[in-house]
Amino acid sequence: MEILKNSSDLRAGILLKEDVYSKTKYPIMRKDTELTLEHIEVLRVFGIKKVLVEERVTKKENESLASTMSTQELMNDLPMSMYVLRKQYNETVRDYKKEFFYWRAGQKPDIVKVRAFTLPLIENFVKQKKMLALLNEFSNPDEYIYHHSVAVGILSAAISKQMGYEKGDMLQLAIAATLADCGMSKISPSILEKTAFLTREEYSEVKKHTLFSLKMVQESPLLRQEMKIAILQHHERLDGSGYPRGDKLGAVSLFSQIIAVADVYHAMTSERLYRPKHSPFKVIEMIKEEEFGKFDLKVVEALQKLVGDLSIGTRVKLTDGELGEVMFLHRDAPLRPMIKKEADGSIIDLTTHRHLAIAKIIE
């Protein structure tokens, strides 16, 4: 029997009978989900008051569960879920947004404060590497600039750790990456909030943000000099096509390249007001092929291992919505394996079907 039930009265084993939304484009929980204690906590976190459900467990089963362990005790034993991590992420984005408006009003970044609200989130993401591939799903196109800065800090930290940097370097780089776009606060809001592509003049104005960012952090003793250089250079490219100075090859620091790859990856995989997001797998492929010569391949390979590492048997979703399983990995094209489709058992080779790509890994 389907009933509308208060979230506070839910029990593990109850079946959802409708999709649940929370001011989101897509449901935070799908119809026919069998609720666990973790799901119930998610509904509480998102402030969901009532849901349509079908009772699936008996009163006796619930009493037995309650007698052995409280809900809070069970919750404490669960690993951090995507939803709990997302809550922490959203709180960090809100804190960053507040600071951004202080910078716009003329204040310089309070690096101690920025460290305090960003590092706990960054360290949680670095510990749970599988969550990194979900960052583009967390982003909100209406407040992209704040989401982008937090996400680039997370990705830069994870890439640097993957490359073998010590924790001190990783955390310094994470803060530098988070603050790399602080100079955007000096760009006209009418340009930042524009919902169409920028004109040449507007883009020239935006390109000044790296200089503004450096100026805003230059006097702080809490960032090492090489991190300040990384902030200045995070839009430089190895072939000299970047800005603000057109530095190339050895003149471009590896720390700036890490921020650059994180920046481009998150920008291209996130939905924007003027264009849809791209598949993480497709973006890595584009960085390696279409942008060849611009980025250090060691950095790109580290990112690929974090968000695009595949193995035989991995279940995936393709960009056309089809589900399938990785059957064979090409040595020279690991992002384009052979996939066995779940729908009909047919096998498709992504190296010959270039219009398709892997959209995401299905856990």
Side-chain angles (χ1 to χ4, degrees):
M1 179 179 176
E2 295 180 6
I3 57 172
L4 195 62
K5 202 174 185 73
N6 290 329
S7 297
S8 58
D9 296 330
L10 294 175
R11 299 284 187 274
I14 290 176
L15 195 69
L16 276 182
K17 297 310 294 179
E18 63 181 1
D19 289 343
V20 179
Y21 292 81
S22 176
K23 298 179 182 179
T24 52
K25 183 177 179 181
Y26 301 105
I28 61 170
M29 216 167 287
R30 295 284 187 183
K31 179 182 177 181
D32 293 328
T33 296
E34 184 172 334
L35 296 179
T36 63
L37 292 170
E38 187 176 18
H39 289 130
I40 295 167
E41 173 66 8
V42 169
L43 293 172
R44 184 193 67 76
V45 167
F46 278 90
I48 305 300
K49 303 300 183 185
K50 292 179 180 289
V51 289
L52 187 66
V53 299
E54 177 184 320
E55 193 78 48
R56 291 285 301 274
V57 294
T58 66
K59 182 178 179 182
K60 182 177 180 180
E61 288 171 329
N62 278 326
E63 289 174 346
S64 175
L65 177 62
S67 67
T68 57
M69 201 174 205
S70 71
T71 299
Q72 188 57 51
E73 288 173 327
L74 285 169
M75 284 304 302
N76 289 340
D77 281 349
L78 290 169
M80 182 175 285
S81 72
M82 179 183 76
Y83 301 101
V84 176
L85 191 60
R86 184 169 190 161
K87 180 176 181 290
Q88 185 186 20
Y89 167 89
N90 286 334
E91 289 171 350
T92 303
V93 170
R94 284 195 295 271
D95 288 337
Y96 181 91
K97 182 179 178 180
K98 290 178 185 176
E99 295 304 302
F100 190 89
F101 279 91
Y102 291 143
W103 305 334
R104 180 172 283 171
Q107 293 187 24
K108 291 186 177 180
D110 182 339
I111 294 180
V112 172
K113 192 173 182 181
V114 173
R115 283 174 57 94
F117 69 72
T118 57
L119 290 188
L121 174 72
I122 287 168
E123 294 194 272
N124 280 333
F125 264 101
V126 170
K127 289 175 187 174
Q128 301 182 88
K129 292 192 291 186
K130 289 184 178 180
M131 295 293 190
L132 292 168
L134 302 174
L135 267 176
N136 62 316
E137 298 182 18
F138 289 7
S139 186
N140 176 352
D142 293 321
E143 297 191 318
Y144 167 78
I145 189 169
Y146 318 119
H147 285 265
H148 182 63
S149 292
V150 171
V152 170
I154 293 167
L155 288 165
S156 296
I159 292 170
S160 64
K161 183 177 181 182
Q162 181 68 34
M163 293 177 68
Y165 282 100
E166 297 292 334
K167 186 174 182 179
D169 288 330
M170 179 190 79
L171 298 181
Q172 271 276 308
L173 185 61
I175 297 304
T178 303
L179 291 172
D181 280 353
C182 67
M184 285 289 192
S185 61
K186 306 306 178 184
I187 306 300
S188 169
S190 64
I191 295 178
L192 296 182
E193 295 165 10
K194 189 174 180 180
T195 58
F197 287 101
L198 301 179
T199 64
R200 181 177 297 178
E201 292 74 20
E202 289 168 336
Y203 184 52
S204 294
E205 190 66 23
V206 168
K207 286 164 67 173
K208 296 176 183 177
H209 80 274
T210 56
L211 296 168
F212 292 143
S213 295
L214 176 62
K215 186 176 181 180
M216 291 167 68
V217 303
Q218 185 65 67
E219 296 177 6
S220 174
L222 299 178
L223 274 180
R224 300 204 302 260
Q225 187 61 26
E226 62 262 39
M227 299 304 169
K228 294 171 184 175
I229 292 172
I231 288 174
L232 174 66
Q233 290 189 326
H234 77 279
H235 281 288
E236 299 286 7
R237 300 293 181 256
L238 296 182
D239 63 358
S241 63
Y243 63 86
R245 299 184 301 196
D247 292 339
K248 63 172 64 175
L249 298 175
V252 181
S253 81
L254 191 54
F255 286 130
S256 72
Q257 275 280 291
I258 292 172
I259 301 176
V261 169
D263 175 89
V264 170
Y265 170 80
H266 184 258
M268 295 178 70
T269 57
S270 298
E271 183 181 356
R272 306 290 289 275
L273 292 173
Y274 51 86
R275 66 155 175 76
K277 63 185 178 183
H278 297 290
S279 152
F281 287 82
K282 181 65 177 175
V283 168
I284 294 174
E285 187 175 66
M286 291 167 68
I287 292 173
K288 293 178 74 173
E289 297 177 4
E290 297 177 24
E291 301 295 314
F292 181 78
K294 295 180 184 293
F295 302 100
D296 190 302
L297 286 179
K298 296 191 298 295
V299 179
V300 180
E301 291 294 339
L303 174 64
Q304 181 177 321
K305 288 178 181 178
L306 289 168
V307 299
D309 201 20
L310 297 168
S311 59
I312 304 298
T314 301
R315 190 164 175 255
V316 298
K317 182 178 182 180
L318 301 179
T319 49
D320 64 355
E322 290 257 25
L323 298 178
E325 179 182 335
V326 175
M327 299 297 293
F328 178 79
L329 291 165
H330 299 285
R331 178 181 296 178
D332 297 328
L335 298 174
R336 291 194 160 274
M338 296 176 68
I339 305 292
K340 182 179 181 181
K341 293 185 178 181
E342 288 187 4
D344 58 11
S346 63
I347 295 178
I348 182 170
D349 189 343
L350 296 184
T351 60
T352 57
H353 291 75
R354 304 291 297 185
H355 65 289
L356 289 177
I358 294 173
K360 62 190 296 187
I361 293 172
I362 305 296
E363 293 296 338

